[in-house]
PDB file of all heavy atoms in Angstrom:
ATOM      1  N   ILE A  92      19.657 180.912 -41.131  1.00  0.00           N
ATOM      2  CA  ILE A  92      20.226 181.847 -40.169  1.00  0.00           C
ATOM      3  C   ILE A  92      21.506 182.405 -40.780  1.00  0.00           C
ATOM      4  O   ILE A  92      22.275 181.650 -41.401  1.00  0.00           O
ATOM      5  CB  ILE A  92      20.488 181.189 -38.800  1.00  0.00           C
ATOM      6  CG1 ILE A  92      20.865 182.250 -37.759  1.00  0.00           C
ATOM      7  CG2 ILE A  92      21.544 180.105 -38.876  1.00  0.00           C
ATOM      8  CD1 ILE A  92      20.849 181.732 -36.328  1.00  0.00           C
ATOM      9  N   THR A  93      21.681 183.702 -40.660  1.00  0.00           N
ATOM     10  CA  THR A  93      22.836 184.373 -41.259  1.00  0.00           C
ATOM     11  C   THR A  93      23.562 185.193 -40.195  1.00  0.00           C
ATOM     12  O   THR A  93      22.927 185.903 -39.412  1.00  0.00           O
ATOM     13  CB  THR A  93      22.397 185.304 -42.405  1.00  0.00           C
ATOM     14  OG1 THR A  93      21.786 184.521 -43.436  1.00  0.00           O
ATOM     15  CG2 THR A  93      23.585 186.051 -42.987  1.00  0.00           C
ATOM     16  N   TYR A  94      24.875 185.052 -40.180  1.00  0.00           N
ATOM     17  CA  TYR A  94      25.736 185.889 -39.351  1.00  0.00           C
ATOM     18  C   TYR A  94      26.672 186.668 -40.272  1.00  0.00           C
ATOM     19  O   TYR A  94      27.226 186.081 -41.213  1.00  0.00           O
ATOM     20  CB  TYR A  94      26.589 185.044 -38.400  1.00  0.00           C
ATOM     21  CG  TYR A  94      25.818 184.338 -37.328  1.00  0.00           C
ATOM     22  CD1 TYR A  94      25.554 182.970 -37.419  1.00  0.00           C
ATOM     23  CD2 TYR A  94      25.349 185.018 -36.203  1.00  0.00           C
ATOM     24  CE1 TYR A  94      24.851 182.298 -36.430  1.00  0.00           C
ATOM     25  CE2 TYR A  94      24.640 184.360 -35.212  1.00  0.00           C
ATOM     26  CZ  TYR A  94      24.400 183.008 -35.331  1.00  0.00           C
ATOM     27  OH  TYR A  94      23.696 182.350 -34.352  1.00  0.00           O
ATOM     28  N   THR A  95      26.844 187.952 -40.012  1.00  0.00           N
ATOM     29  CA  THR A  95      27.807 188.730 -40.784  1.00  0.00           C
ATOM     30  C   THR A  95      29.025 189.027 -39.917  1.00  0.00           C
ATOM     31  O   THR A  95      28.930 189.071 -38.687  1.00  0.00           O
ATOM     32  CB  THR A  95      27.215 190.063 -41.284  1.00  0.00           C
ATOM     33  OG1 THR A  95      27.128 190.998 -40.186  1.00  0.00           O
ATOM     34  CG2 THR A  95      25.827 189.857 -41.885  1.00  0.00           C
ATOM     35  N   ARG A  96      30.148 189.249 -40.568  1.00  0.00           N
ATOM     36  CA  ARG A  96      31.368 189.570 -39.837  1.00  0.00           C
ATOM     37  C   ARG A  96      31.289 190.954 -39.189  1.00  0.00           C
ATOM     38  O   ARG A  96      32.128 191.318 -38.377  1.00  0.00           O
ATOM     39  CB  ARG A  96      32.576 189.472 -40.767  1.00  0.00           C
ATOM     40  CG  ARG A  96      32.578 190.464 -41.901  1.00  0.00           C
ATOM     41  CD  ARG A  96      33.760 190.246 -42.839  1.00  0.00           C
ATOM     42  NE  ARG A  96      33.715 188.963 -43.493  1.00  0.00           N
ATOM     43  CZ  ARG A  96      34.679 188.054 -43.386  1.00  0.00           C
ATOM     44  NH1 ARG A  96      35.747 188.289 -42.647  1.00  0.00           N
ATOM     45  NH2 ARG A  96      34.569 186.897 -44.016  1.00  0.00           N
ATOM     46  N   TYR A  97      30.253 191.722 -39.569  1.00  0.00           N
ATOM     47  CA  TYR A  97      30.092 193.075 -39.028  1.00  0.00           C
ATOM     48  C   TYR A  97      29.193 193.106 -37.795  1.00  0.00           C
ATOM     49  O   TYR A  97      28.890 194.172 -37.278  1.00  0.00           O
ATOM     50  CB  TYR A  97      29.543 194.004 -40.111  1.00  0.00           C
ATOM     51  CG  TYR A  97      30.388 193.979 -41.356  1.00  0.00           C
ATOM     52  CD1 TYR A  97      29.935 193.351 -42.514  1.00  0.00           C
ATOM     53  CD2 TYR A  97      31.660 194.547 -41.376  1.00  0.00           C
ATOM     54  CE1 TYR A  97      30.713 193.304 -43.658  1.00  0.00           C
ATOM     55  CE2 TYR A  97      32.453 194.496 -42.507  1.00  0.00           C
ATOM     56  CZ  TYR A  97      31.968 193.876 -43.643  1.00  0.00           C
ATOM     57  OH  TYR A  97      32.755 193.819 -44.765  1.00  0.00           O
ATOM     58  N   GLY A  98      28.741 191.921 -37.336  1.00  0.00           N
ATOM     59  CA  GLY A  98      28.004 191.865 -36.084  1.00  0.00           C
ATOM     60  C   GLY A  98      26.499 191.951 -36.199  1.00  0.00           C
ATOM     61  O   GLY A  98      25.845 192.432 -35.268  1.00  0.00           O
ATOM     62  N   TYR A  99      25.945 191.475 -37.311  1.00  0.00           N
ATOM     63  CA  TYR A  99      24.487 191.417 -37.456  1.00  0.00           C
ATOM     64  C   TYR A  99      24.064 190.001 -37.810  1.00  0.00           C
ATOM     65  O   TYR A  99      24.837 189.239 -38.407  1.00  0.00           O
ATOM     66  CB  TYR A  99      23.989 192.407 -38.514  1.00  0.00           C
ATOM     67  CG  TYR A  99      23.990 193.824 -38.019  1.00  0.00           C
ATOM     68  CD1 TYR A  99      25.128 194.613 -38.133  1.00  0.00           C
ATOM     69  CD2 TYR A  99      22.866 194.376 -37.395  1.00  0.00           C
ATOM     70  CE1 TYR A  99      25.149 195.913 -37.636  1.00  0.00           C
ATOM     71  CE2 TYR A  99      22.872 195.667 -36.915  1.00  0.00           C
ATOM     72  CZ  TYR A  99      24.014 196.433 -37.034  1.00  0.00           C
ATOM     73  OH  TYR A  99      24.034 197.709 -36.536  1.00  0.00           O
ATOM     74  N   MET A 100      22.828 189.671 -37.429  1.00  0.00           N
ATOM     75  CA  MET A 100      22.303 188.333 -37.704  1.00  0.00           C
ATOM     76  C   MET A 100      20.827 188.430 -38.044  1.00  0.00           C
ATOM     77  O   MET A 100      20.148 189.413 -37.744  1.00  0.00           O
ATOM     78  CB  MET A 100      22.490 187.414 -36.488  1.00  0.00           C
ATOM     79  CG  MET A 100      21.788 187.814 -35.200  1.00  0.00           C
ATOM     80  SD  MET A 100      19.993 187.528 -35.108  1.00  0.00           S
ATOM     81  CE  MET A 100      19.905 185.774 -35.474  1.00  0.00           C
ATOM     82  N   SER A 101      20.339 187.383 -38.694  1.00  0.00           N
ATOM     83  CA  SER A 101      18.902 187.240 -38.939  1.00  0.00           C
ATOM     84  C   SER A 101      18.585 185.754 -38.977  1.00  0.00           C
ATOM     85  O   SER A 101      19.426 184.941 -39.365  1.00  0.00           O
ATOM     86  CB  SER A 101      18.483 187.915 -40.249  1.00  0.00           C
ATOM     87  OG  SER A 101      19.085 187.273 -41.363  1.00  0.00           O
ATOM     88  N   ALA A 102      17.387 185.419 -38.533  1.00  0.00           N
ATOM     89  CA  ALA A 102      16.954 184.022 -38.528  1.00  0.00           C
ATOM     90  C   ALA A 102      15.494 183.952 -38.922  1.00  0.00           C
ATOM     91  O   ALA A 102      14.691 184.798 -38.508  1.00  0.00           O
ATOM     92  CB  ALA A 102      17.161 183.401 -37.151  1.00  0.00           C
TER      93      ALA A 102
END
Side-chain angles (χ1 to χ4, degrees):
I92 189 168
T93 298
Y94 292 103
T95 75
R96 64 184 63 239
Y97 306 107
Y99 284 87
M100 62 76 55
S101 65

